[in-house]
């Protein structure tokens, strides 16, 4: 499919998913009701307005931002590794974010420990203060963990001033496995915090609010702008590193830049949503099947498709067994896993990134 029609179709799919996500839920809004409440704005009184502006819209907006980040990060990392199976998990970013978040949730990080102590000392008020502290501490700790893991992977893979992609891959797998064992160790010694840790590792958006949207938006915007500058280098890298070098591309600089941008986007997403799989893996793959390997299509297309997919998955997560709610990471895995296997089986003739 040509580039412009495909991107317009994906943008339309995102808009449709946003409308469905905002309208669907335990309280459902018809289109006329939805337009009226949107026109009246957040200052309008009543329970419906409060649900829409304080709960529903922030959650849908956060899902879209996380989906944009994961989709674009997956496209960048797959282009860098020239492998459609690559995603943020491969280079240890997600595992590093998990370790940071778990350290915060269990109180190992000083701020979490102090808040927990305050909670024990002052009853309900202390518990509320602890919850507020964790709401700010967990994203920050997850982001720091993701960046730290990436730094370790990069240093381990660097050889004689260069960073071979194969070494990056191997270092990422090793660091990810090691960090995952640290996560398990921390959880083992803090069984009283197992439930919040477990739900964070499954991935979810149930605590979404405007503060989280405001927190992650600058990072997502910066990452997406930086991703735009990677389109041409990623296209050149499709021909291989040696050929790219002869074409005048500073291969090592562009690899570092791509790694940093992909990690920034992935870390921003994971820091507010937990571990959500398959978005960054499937979205770029589908866009390549529809529009080819040109990263002028793949990067923005994967971002749009990732956002639409995650908004729809979150809508299913909060409505499928209402009033109970599924972790959105479970929904993306249930949908993304079989769908990805179907794509692999039915489109083997696709020769991109070989």
């Amino acid at each position: 499919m040509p580039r412009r029609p495909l991107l317009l179709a994906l943008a339309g799919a995102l808009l449709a998913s946003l409308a469905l996500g905002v309208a669907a839920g335990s309280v459902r809004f018809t289109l006329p009701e939805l337009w009226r409440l949107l026109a009246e704005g957040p200052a309008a009184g009543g329970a419906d307005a409060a649900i829409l502006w304080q709960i529903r819209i922030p959650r849908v907006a956060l899902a879209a931002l996380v989906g944009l980040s994961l989709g674009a990060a997956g496209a960048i990392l797959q282009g860098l590794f020239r492998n459609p199976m690559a995603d943020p998990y491969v280079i240890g970013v997600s595992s590093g974010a998990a370790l940071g978040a778990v350290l915060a949730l269990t109180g190992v990080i000083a701020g979490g420990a102090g808040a927990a102590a305050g909670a024990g000392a002052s009853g309900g008020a202390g518990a509320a203060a602890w919850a507020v502290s964790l709401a700010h501490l967990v994203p920050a700790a997850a982001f720091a963990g993701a960046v730290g893991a990436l730094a370790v992977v990069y240093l381990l893979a660097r050889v004689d001033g260069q960073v071979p992609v194969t070494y990056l891959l191997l270092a990422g797998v090793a660091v990810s496995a090691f960090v995952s064992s640290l996560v398990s160790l921390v959880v083992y010694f803090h069984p009283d915090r197992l439930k919040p840790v477990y739900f964070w590792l499954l991935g979810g958006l149930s605590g979404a609010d405007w503060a989280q949207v405001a927190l992650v938006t600058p990072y997502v915007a910066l990452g997406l702008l930086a991703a735009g500058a990677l389109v041409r280098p990623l296209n050149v890298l499709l021909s291989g590193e040696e050929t790219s070098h002869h074409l005048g591309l500073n291969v090592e600089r562009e690899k570092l830049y791509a790694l940093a941008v992909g990690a920034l986007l992935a870390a921003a997403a994971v820091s507010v949503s937990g571990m959500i799989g398959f978005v960054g893996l499937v979205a770029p793959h589908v866009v390549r099947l529809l529009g080819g390997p040109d990263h002028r299509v793949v990067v923005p297309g994967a971002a749009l498709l990732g956002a639409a997919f995650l908004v729809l998955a979150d809508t299913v997560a909060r409505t499928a067994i209402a009033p109970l709610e599924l972790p959105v990471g479970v929904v993306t895995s249930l949908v993304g896993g079989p769908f990805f296997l179907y794509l692999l089986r039915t489109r083997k003739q696709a020769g991109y990134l070989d």
Side-chain angles (χ1 to χ4, degrees):
M1 183 183 295
R3 177 163 61 108
R4 183 169 296 179
L6 176 58
L7 293 179
L8 287 175
L10 292 173
L14 175 57
L15 289 175
S17 70
L18 291 172
L20 178 62
V22 170
S26 56
V27 176
R28 298 183 180 181
F29 300 110
T30 63
L31 283 179
E33 291 172 337
L34 188 59
W35 286 121
R36 177 180 60 81
L37 290 169
L38 290 173
E40 291 175 353
D48 286 349
I51 291 171
L52 180 66
W53 287 100
Q54 300 304 319
I55 299 175
R56 195 74 57 77
I57 291 180
R59 178 160 180 165
V60 171
L62 190 64
L65 288 168
V66 170
L68 284 167
S69 296
L70 292 176
I76 291 169
L77 295 175
Q78 288 177 17
L80 172 64
F81 289 105
R82 297 188 297 281
N83 188 332
M85 301 301 292
D87 75 344
Y89 288 87
V90 171
I91 58 171
V93 171
S94 296
S95 297
L99 178 60
V102 167
L103 290 175
L105 288 166
T106 56
V108 174
I109 295 177
S122 54
W130 185 20
V132 173
S133 175
L134 284 179
H136 293 85
L137 183 62
V138 171
F143 191 87
V147 174
L150 174 64
V152 172
V153 169
Y154 183 79
L155 291 174
L156 289 175
R158 190 176 177 86
V159 179
D160 296 330
Q162 295 186 336
V163 184
V165 169
T166 302
Y167 285 15
L168 270 176
L169 183 61
L170 293 174
V173 171
V175 169
S176 181
F178 177 73
V179 172
S180 296
S181 68
L182 291 180
V183 170
S184 300
L185 190 63
V186 172
V187 172
Y188 177 79
F189 283 108
H190 295 83
D192 57 312
R193 302 299 299 156
L194 181 60
K195 185 175 181 180
V197 168
Y198 179 69
F199 277 100
W200 193 91
L201 292 177
L202 287 177
L205 298 162
S206 58
D209 56 24
W210 286 115
Q212 286 188 322
V213 172
L215 174 69
V216 77
T217 296
Y219 295 102
V220 175
L222 177 63
L224 292 176
L225 286 174
L230 279 168
V231 168
R232 179 186 172 277
L234 288 175
N235 278 343
V236 175
L237 281 171
L238 286 173
S239 61
E241 291 188 19
E242 184 176 349
T243 303
S244 299
H245 178 74
H246 290 307
L247 290 173
L249 186 71
N250 188 328
V251 174
E252 294 303 317
R253 184 187 65 190
E254 296 300 338
K255 285 196 296 186
L256 177 59
Y257 182 56
L259 198 62
V261 174
L264 170 65
L265 287 165
V270 174
S271 69
V272 293
S273 67
M275 309 282 279
I276 298 177
F278 280 101
V279 179
L281 187 67
V282 172
H285 191 96
V286 174
V287 174
R288 287 191 187 93
L289 290 176
L290 295 174
D294 187 349
H295 285 90
R296 293 179 299 170
V297 177
V298 174
V299 173
L304 292 170
L305 183 59
F309 175 45
L310 193 56
V311 169
L312 290 175
D314 186 56
T315 303
V316 172
R318 57 186 169 82
T319 58
I321 56 172
L324 299 178
E325 182 176 314
L326 292 169
V328 69
V330 172
V331 177
T332 60
S333 296
L334 288 174
V335 175
F339 183 60
F340 188 61
L341 292 174
Y342 169 78
L343 288 175
L344 289 177
R345 182 170 180 81
T346 58
R347 298 300 296 269
K348 287 180 180 179
Q349 68 270 27
Y352 50 84
L353 294 180
D354 285 341

